[in-house]
Amino acid sequence: MRGYSSYEAGGTPGTCLVIGASGRVGSRVVVRLVERGRPVRALVRPDSSIRRLAPVLSRVRLVAGDVRNPDALAEAVRGVHQVIWTAGISPLRPGRPEEIERVEVEGVRHLIEACKRESVAYITYLSCMYASQDARSALFRAKWRAEEAVRESGVSHSILRSSVIIHPGRRFYLQIPAIHWWEKAPGIPHALPSVRTSPIAVDDVASCLIDASLNPRVRGRTVEIGGPEALSPSDWIRLAGEERGKPFKEWAVPPSLAEAGLWLGSRLFPDRMPSREVFRDMVERDAVVDPETMKELFPNVSLTPVRELIRRMKEDADLPPG
Ligand SMILES: NC(=O)c1ccc[n+]([C@@H]2O[C@H](COP(=O)([O-])OP(=O)(O)OC[C@H]3O[C@@H](n4cnc5c(N)ncnc54)[C@H](OP(=O)(O)O)[C@@H]3O)[C@@H](O)[C@H]2O)c1
C-alpha cells in the first residue's frame, strides 16, 4: 500500500451512509464498500429503483428518505461514521431552479446540520467540474453553493469535482450510440467540436470517493478528478469506430443549431432536456484533469483507459440476457 493507510490495510471501520445510493455512482460506491466489508447504510427515495443494488441488498441497510426532508436525513445519519454524497439532479433534465435549489443546496445544508448533531466524522461530497459561482445554469451554480456549504461546515470533508463520468451500459456516453445500434449506425452527430473532457469510469469515481476520507492528499480539499485521457468528441468517435472495426462518420453540428434543437426540445419535452445554459456551461470550457496530478492525489486508484471501457461495454452487450 503506497503512502497512506486504506480500508484494506485495516483503516477506519464504522458505518458509511451513501446518499443517492440508487444512482449510477452511488450504487457502485455501495457495492464496493460492501465488497470491502464495510457496514453500509444506503439512502434511497421511497420510489427509487434499487435494481443496481440487487447484488448486495442482503448486506446493506436501506433507509428510505428524500434529501429535501431534514427529518429523513437526521434519521439516516444516526450512528454513522461517515457520509458519501452522490445524489443530484441530472444536467440532462435539470428542471426548475426552485427544485434544483431544494435538492442540491438545501439538501446538503440539511445533511450538514444532521452530521453536526450526530458528530459524523467525515463528509465526502461529489461535485462536478462545471460547478462555479459564475455558471450560467442554476444547476452548476447550485453545485458551487453546496460545495461552499460543505467547505464552511466545520465537518472534516473532501469535495471531488468530477469530469464526465462513464457508466458502461446501454447509453454509455452522450456521443456514442447505444451498443445495439453499433452495426447499423453509419455516423455520430456531435455538437461540442473542440471541447475536451477527461472521462472517468464510474468505478474509478467510486474508488476515489471511498479513498478520500483516509487520504491525506485530499482531506479538507476540493480536488478535480478525471480519467487518464483528455478526449474531444472526435477522439471518442474515432476510438469507438476502431473498437467496432469500422469507422463511424462524424457529423459536426454547429453549436448554434444544437442550441436551437435544445430550445425546441425543451418546448416539446419540458423538464426533460438539458437547458441552453447547461449546454453553454459545458461548451465554454474543457473539463480536463492532468493524469499526473491524479496519480499524485490518488496513488491507490488505478484509472481505467477509455478503450478498456468500450471493450467492457461490448462484452456486456454480448452476454445473453438475464
Ligand atoms: N454523470 C456525470 O457525468 C457526472 C459528472 C460529474 C458529477 N456528477 C454528479 O454526480 C452525482 C451522481 O451522478 P449519477 O450519474 O450517479 O446520477 P444518477 O444516476 O441520476 O443518480 C442520482 C441519485 O440522486 C438521487 N436523488 C435525486 N434527488 C434526490 C432526492 N431529492 N432525495 C434523495 N435522493 C435523490 C437519485 O435517486 P432516484 O434513483 O430516486 O432518482 C439517484 O440515486 C450527481 O450529483 C451529478 O451531478 C455527475
Side-chain angles (χ1 to χ4, degrees):
M1 200 52 54
R2 282 166 292 166
Y4 54 90
S5 67
S6 76
Y7 297 115
E8 288 89 343
T12 314
T15 301
C16 181
L17 169 69
V18 180
I19 298 186
S22 55
R24 285 167 294 193
V25 178
S27 58
R28 295 309 301 162
V29 173
V30 171
V31 169
R32 295 196 141 219
L33 283 167
V34 168
E35 285 168 357
R36 293 168 188 214
R38 282 289 298 278
V40 181
R41 201 174 289 178
L43 185 92
V44 294
R45 291 194 277 193
D47 57 354
S48 294
S49 160
I50 52 171
R51 69 188 158 82
R52 294 192 180 105
L53 297 174
V56 293
L57 265 186
S58 60
R59 289 180 283 163
V60 169
R61 185 171 149 208
L62 289 183
V63 190
D66 191 302
V67 298
R68 293 170 295 187
N69 177 355
D71 296 337
L73 285 171
E75 182 61 31
V77 301
R78 199 153 293 145
V80 309
H81 171 76
Q82 139 185 34
V83 177
I84 298 179
W85 174 290
T86 65
I89 290 178
S90 167
L92 301 183
R93 294 181 299 277
R96 290 188 303 278
E98 315 80 77
E99 192 50 26
I100 292 173
E101 182 74 16
R102 288 181 68 206
V103 174
E104 298 276 354
V105 185
E106 289 172 22
V108 169
R109 290 192 181 134
H110 298 323
L111 173 72
I112 290 167
E113 286 314 308
C115 287
K116 283 176 160 174
R117 274 198 303 275
E118 287 293 319
S119 305
V120 169
Y122 211 85
I123 299 175
T124 307
Y125 175 73
L126 176 60
S127 181
C128 75
M129 279 179 68
Y130 302 107
S132 160
Q133 61 183 328
D134 302 320
R136 292 170 189 266
S137 64
L139 181 61
F140 296 142
R141 286 197 305 274
K143 289 264 184 227
W144 187 83
R145 289 213 304 288
E147 286 185 2
E148 282 287 277
V150 176
R151 281 189 280 269
E152 290 163 5
S153 65
V155 181
S156 296
H157 63 267
S158 300
I159 296 171
L160 307 192
R161 293 178 147 189
S162 182
S163 183
V164 174
I165 300 172
I166 303 298
H167 316 270
R170 277 168 56 83
R171 294 177 65 183
F172 192 55
Y173 186 63
L174 222 50
Q175 268 100 25
I176 307 297
I179 188 88
H180 54 278
W181 290 347
W182 269 36
E183 288 313 317
K184 291 176 230 148
I188 302 177
H190 72 76
L192 310 174
S194 56
V195 175
R196 294 182 317 145
T197 59
S198 298
I200 179 167
V202 66
D203 276 332
D204 299 345
V205 175
S207 296
C208 292
L209 287 165
I210 293 170
D211 185 81
S213 70
L214 290 172
N215 179 343
R217 294 171 174 89
V218 299
R219 276 184 82 93
R221 292 184 60 193
T222 300
V223 298
E224 297 190 334
I225 63 170
E229 296 119 310
L231 300 177
S232 69
S234 297
D235 297 330
W236 265 104
I237 292 168
R238 181 180 43 76
L239 281 186
E242 283 171 16
E243 289 302 319
R244 85 164 176 172
K246 187 167 76 173
F248 287 105
K249 283 204 180 68
E250 188 184 331
W251 296 315
V253 179
S256 53
L257 188 61
E259 276 192 38
L262 285 176
W263 177 85
L264 184 63
S266 64
R267 299 286 143 145
L268 296 172
F269 310 103
D271 299 341
R272 296 192 64 81
M273 299 286 289
S275 65
R276 278 192 291 182
E277 289 76 20
V278 163
F279 177 77
R280 284 186 187 167
D281 285 335
M282 294 175 79
V283 295
E284 277 174 3
R285 60 159 291 189
D286 286 341
V288 166
V289 178
D290 174 13
E292 288 308 311
T293 309
M294 270 302 280
K295 270 191 212 149
E296 280 163 29
L297 289 177
F298 294 98
N300 292 333
V301 177
S302 61
L303 297 170
T304 316
V306 167
R307 239 180 235 283
E308 176 60 28
L309 287 171
I310 296 176
R311 279 192 201 127
R312 279 188 211 161
M313 176 179 76
K314 286 175 67 187
E315 277 163 22
D316 288 351
D318 290 341
L319 291 175

